[in-house]
Amino acid sequence: MTRQPFVVESALARIAEAVRPFPPAALFALADEGFSSPFEQLMACILSIRTLDEVSIEAARRLFAHARTPAELLAHSATMIDQWITPCTFHTAKAWQLREIAHVVETEHGGVLPCDFAALTALKGVGPKCANLVLGIACGQPAISVDIHVHRITNRWGYVQTATPEQSMTALERKLPQPLWITINRLLVPFGKHICTGRAPRCGACPVLDMCAQVGVTTTRRE
Ligand code: SF4
């Protein structure tokens, strides 16, 4: 097969069709359910760190049944929050972290989490990935959130050549058209979980095989 030039708009349009049967990534699913404020999205992102979407999304729903704002969260003890968010990875530490963040938002930002990258990343344990997801999903700002799926797949395409998700974020900010900045995370998370998987990607069933450089791919599956 002759490889076609890689056109990111075409690739993402095809991937949008391919991932239609799969559940959306946790934060997008929660936003669709109405949990779309910056504070809710930040709490959900913290719960999702090193935790399966299936686990973190249920924990987020349990948490939001009791607390959706910083003031509501501060009305509960860390022990109680810990019970709601178990079995997320590091659930006890995350319970204390969420309370600490709520306290900062109450005392320094008037109870409203600002849509501001510097303010978000100044909060305890909040990195660029969560900050950009909050900005993109809750604030409607152009922001690229690069998790392990986005990093791995864009490198396999040959679209970027980077060693870390942080480098990928910088490279994508230079290269990816801005209207696709939020879309790329929304699409590549389910695509990375179900088709372009970490080990043995399903290249035989991939809608962008004809334009993918398959960089670093040594073992593939047909279906
Ligand atoms: S062809 Fe293979 S490596 Fe390339 S995007 Fe598709 S599944 Fe991933």
Side-chain angles (χ1 to χ4, degrees):
M1 178 173 54
T2 311
R3 185 146 56 87
Q4 303 298 313
F6 186 85
V7 180
V8 71
E9 290 88 347
S10 305
L12 290 177
R14 293 185 203 173
I15 288 169
E17 283 304 312
V19 301
R20 209 176 284 278
F22 305 122
L27 268 65
F28 290 93
L30 289 165
D32 290 343
E33 293 173 26
F35 303 117
S36 56
S37 74
F39 187 67
E40 287 166 334
Q41 285 287 306
L42 182 63
M43 288 200 290
C45 193
I46 289 168
L47 297 185
S48 76
I49 293 170
R50 299 202 182 199
T51 303
L52 291 173
D53 267 11
E54 299 75 33
V55 173
S56 74
I57 199 166
E58 287 302 324
R61 289 182 184 128
R62 283 194 299 276
L63 177 64
F64 296 156
H66 301 276
R68 298 182 60 175
T69 66
E72 288 171 359
L73 193 76
L74 288 170
H76 301 284
S77 67
T79 307
M80 186 59 74
I81 296 166
D82 189 6
Q83 285 180 20
W84 297 328
I85 67 173
T86 300
C88 291
T89 308
F90 308 130
H91 49 85
T92 303
K94 286 178 179 178
W96 285 99
Q97 180 189 358
L98 292 178
R99 266 195 120 260
E100 197 170 322
I101 288 173
H103 179 72
V104 172
V105 176
E106 274 296 296
T107 54
E108 296 181 17
H109 301 294
V112 179
L113 186 63
C115 288
D116 179 83
F117 184 84
L120 288 167
T121 51
L123 297 168
K124 181 184 170 73
V126 178
K129 187 192 94 166
C130 278
N132 277 349
L133 274 172
V134 170
L135 293 175
I137 300 173
C139 304
Q141 292 184 12
I144 305 177
S145 176
V146 178
D147 68 353
I148 196 65
H149 297 295
V150 175
H151 171 63
R152 179 181 69 247
I153 296 164
T154 52
N155 272 278
R156 282 179 175 170
W157 289 343
Y159 192 65
V160 299
Q161 295 85 37
T162 55
T164 65
E166 291 73 25
Q167 290 176 10
S168 294
M169 188 174 84
T170 306
L172 288 169
E173 282 172 350
R174 287 201 198 103
K175 189 166 185 180
L176 186 69
Q178 208 176 76
L180 299 175
W181 283 19
I182 300 168
T183 305
I184 197 166
N185 183 281
R186 182 169 59 80
L187 295 179
L188 293 197
V189 171
F191 184 64
K193 287 169 86 171
H194 298 282
I195 298 176
C196 191
T197 48
R199 287 188 192 162
R202 298 171 58 205
C203 298
C206 179
V208 300
L209 175 61
D210 64 341
M211 61 171 87
C212 177
Q214 294 175 290
V215 175
V217 175
T218 52
T219 310
T220 68
R221 286 176 284 166
R222 284 181 177 275
E223 291 299 330

